[in-house]
Amino acid sequence: MSYFSLGLRGVNLPMMALVDYRGFRLIAMSVLPLEKGSLIYGTSDAGRTMHADDRKFNDIMSIAGKALNLKPHLCGANVHNLCDLSAAADVEGHRGSDGKYYLLDFSRTLPPVRNDETLYPGGHLYRLFRKNFVENYPVPLCPDSFSGFIMHDPKAKVHNDEIALATDYLHHYVIPTCAERLLEKVKTASSSKISVAVELHLHGVNLRYLGRVYNILLGKLRNEEPGALIASRLVLLEACARVMKNQLYTMLQREMKDQKLVMEVPYRKVVIEALNLWFAEDPPEEGQEFWDSPGEAMQLCLTRNFNFLSISSFMPTSFPDKAVFKQQWKALLLDKRTGKKPLFKDSSEKFVKQFVRTFSSKDLIARSKLTTQQKPPKEKKVKR
């Protein structure tokens, strides 16, 4: 989306759609009029052969790089075939058989954060800064930092050091500022109208840093700052929801590979069993371990995937009664089905008593009907 937003004149981008289907995510892309020998910018063989062959296209990519605050750098795995690029080396520019310019392969458009290879092997390929962070950072950043693409660039260490400094700036200034702004918003707006994901993204903070935001709010909660309890709960709920979503996707993938069926029944069963495992009032031992054990899914994923810094304190500190936390979740789930407002107060205990003991297929069908019955937004008429 970074290049899409620039509206580059003379460069065509493929139509793309992101498709989530039963735990799998696909990127569907339109067929382009490309052929062997059409590559004029970047590399398609891991840097062994580099291209910057068309001066006009090179100028366009230079303009795009400045707009995105990307640093020009020397690329190539072969010392005899190096090119100065203003984009990540594997962002490809082509001249199609129709004579038009095309740009594709955008997965590494933005620079990586400083990565801990012991925790995230190959993380420089996918743990990237957000676009608005990079655009607002005071100096351009190299999108190929920490990669083999700049092994022959004499300024490689400078590029990597700048990324390390930018990562520290994100961790120690941007994220704390984001936590402060979220706390201020909680004080002035209804919690049901606050999207944690939107607030983080507005500040250029990736959702993998939910744990860092949470730990900052936890300190404010210990200092009894107004709104800190609600804000920390919102952040923890967001992180837990994403852990469960990822777990559910994995379950659906496994079922899809085993069953190889188009019909919905076995996949609905997987969803129902997962919801009852997580939220049943008397869950099986596996369900208890999901929440309680430091080595099991919830706490492990929160620390590994979302930067929660303290396994031992994240639950009991902000949720002295873990049952209340589960009740908050049930309230939020019922909000999706019945339209009732989600609860963050003591009244959730009364509310949860009306909650069915287990989920059934009727719940999924009711949710499906609720979604399909929602009217699409009316198109605004444009005066000409």
Side-chain angles (χ1 to χ4, degrees):
M1 292 302 295
S2 298
Y3 285 106
F4 277 82
S5 65
L6 298 181
L8 298 174
R9 289 188 178 183
V11 176
N12 299 281
L13 305 174
M15 295 178 63
M16 302 175 72
L18 197 62
V19 181
D20 284 322
Y21 182 72
R22 291 179 183 169
F24 292 92
R25 171 163 286 186
L26 305 173
I27 297 177
M29 190 176 79
S30 59
V31 177
L32 302 176
L34 308 181
E35 55 192 12
K36 187 176 181 180
S38 64
L39 183 65
I40 59 172
Y41 195 89
T43 181
S44 60
D45 58 4
R48 289 185 291 275
T49 308
M50 298 300 306
H51 294 270
D53 307 335
D54 188 296
R55 182 175 295 180
K56 181 179 177 182
F57 190 83
N58 294 349
D59 290 341
I60 293 173
M61 292 304 293
S62 178
I63 293 170
K66 289 177 181 177
L68 295 174
N69 204 26
L70 302 180
K71 187 178 183 182
H73 54 288
L74 192 64
C75 292
N78 181 354
V79 71
H80 301 295
N81 179 220
L82 303 176
C83 290
D84 282 306
L85 299 182
S86 298
D90 45 9
V91 172
E92 297 181 14
H94 291 257
R95 187 191 298 110
S97 56
D98 57 358
K100 296 179 180 179
Y101 291 138
Y102 292 91
L103 192 63
L104 61 148
D105 285 2
F106 310 112
S107 60
R108 287 200 323 110
T109 295
L110 298 168
V113 299
R114 181 185 55 220
N115 185 53
D116 185 342
E117 285 290 325
T118 59
L119 295 176
Y120 310 103
H124 65 282
L125 301 175
Y126 60 91
R127 292 174 63 83
L128 312 179
F129 289 108
R130 284 190 61 81
K131 174 175 174 284
N132 48 342
F133 174 87
V134 176
E135 287 178 335
N136 293 313
Y137 193 67
V139 299
L141 298 172
C142 174
D144 284 321
S145 294
F146 298 106
S147 77
F149 290 120
I150 59 170
M151 65 172 68
H152 298 299
D153 188 337
K155 296 182 180 179
K157 186 180 185 303
V158 175
H159 302 327
N160 293 343
D161 288 345
E162 288 172 345
I163 290 292
L165 193 61
T167 304
D168 288 338
Y169 178 74
L170 174 67
H171 289 174
H172 303 305
Y173 176 75
V174 177
I175 292 176
T177 300
C178 177
E180 291 280 357
R181 298 284 172 80
L182 179 62
L183 184 58
E184 289 302 315
K185 190 149 191 175
V186 165
K187 293 176 183 178
T188 58
S190 169
S191 57
S192 62
K193 295 181 180 180
I194 297 174
S195 168
V196 172
V198 169
E199 293 302 317
L200 264 65
H201 286 167
L202 283 174
H203 291 86
V205 178
N206 310 76
L207 291 179
R208 62 174 173 267
Y209 296 120
L210 281 166
R212 287 182 175 270
V213 175
Y214 177 79
N215 275 272
I216 292 168
L217 293 171
L218 205 60
K220 296 181 180 300
L221 178 61
R222 288 168 178 156
N223 292 333
E224 299 183 352
E225 289 195 33
L229 177 61
I230 299 298
S232 60
R233 286 186 174 185
L234 286 172
V235 172
L236 185 57
L237 283 170
E238 182 72 32
C240 289
R242 290 175 180 276
V243 169
M244 285 185 273
K245 179 196 74 173
N246 294 337
Q247 291 280 312
L248 185 58
Y249 279 4
T250 301
M251 295 175 192
L252 288 170
Q253 289 175 7
R254 192 181 301 123
E255 189 72 11
M256 191 92 171
K257 291 176 180 177
D258 291 342
Q259 298 289 344
K260 297 181 174 63
L261 295 175
V262 178
M263 60 188 298
E264 289 190 4
V265 174
Y267 310 108
R268 286 186 176 180
K269 183 180 178 183
V270 169
V271 175
I272 293 164
E273 288 177 351
L275 292 174
N276 286 324
L277 179 70
W278 298 330
F279 300 116
E281 293 183 14
D282 297 310
E285 184 177 346
E286 185 181 355
Q288 289 283 8
E289 289 181 351
F290 176 83
W291 294 100
D292 297 336
S293 174
E296 290 300 322
M298 180 55 75
Q299 295 192 31
L300 185 65
C301 291
L302 285 174
T303 53
R304 183 184 61 197
N305 298 343
F306 294 101
N307 276 242
F308 278 77
L309 303 180
S310 172
I311 290 180
S312 61
S313 66
F314 84 88
M315 267 290 187
T317 304
S318 62
F319 295 96
D321 179 3
K322 188 160 71 291
V324 174
F325 172 64
K326 288 188 179 182
Q327 290 166 6
Q328 306 291 1
W329 257 107
K330 291 177 181 179
L332 289 172
L333 287 169
L334 283 181
D335 169 58
K336 301 294 185 184
R337 290 166 43 210
T338 65
K340 294 183 179 180
K341 294 182 179 180
L343 299 169
F344 289 89
K345 298 180 180 179
D346 294 339
S347 56
S348 60
E349 294 185 15
K350 298 179 181 178
F351 182 69
V352 83
K353 289 179 182 179
Q354 305 170 22
F355 185 71
V356 291
R357 181 169 292 273
T358 57
F359 285 90
S360 70
S361 59
K362 292 181 180 179
D363 297 311
L364 299 186
I365 294 170
R367 173 59 183 155
S368 177
K369 288 181 178 179
L370 182 64
T371 303
T372 55
Q373 289 172 0
Q374 290 177 348
K375 295 181 180 180
K378 294 182 179 180
E379 294 185 3
K380 295 182 179 181
K381 294 182 179 180
V382 180
K383 294 182 180 180
R384 298 185 179 180

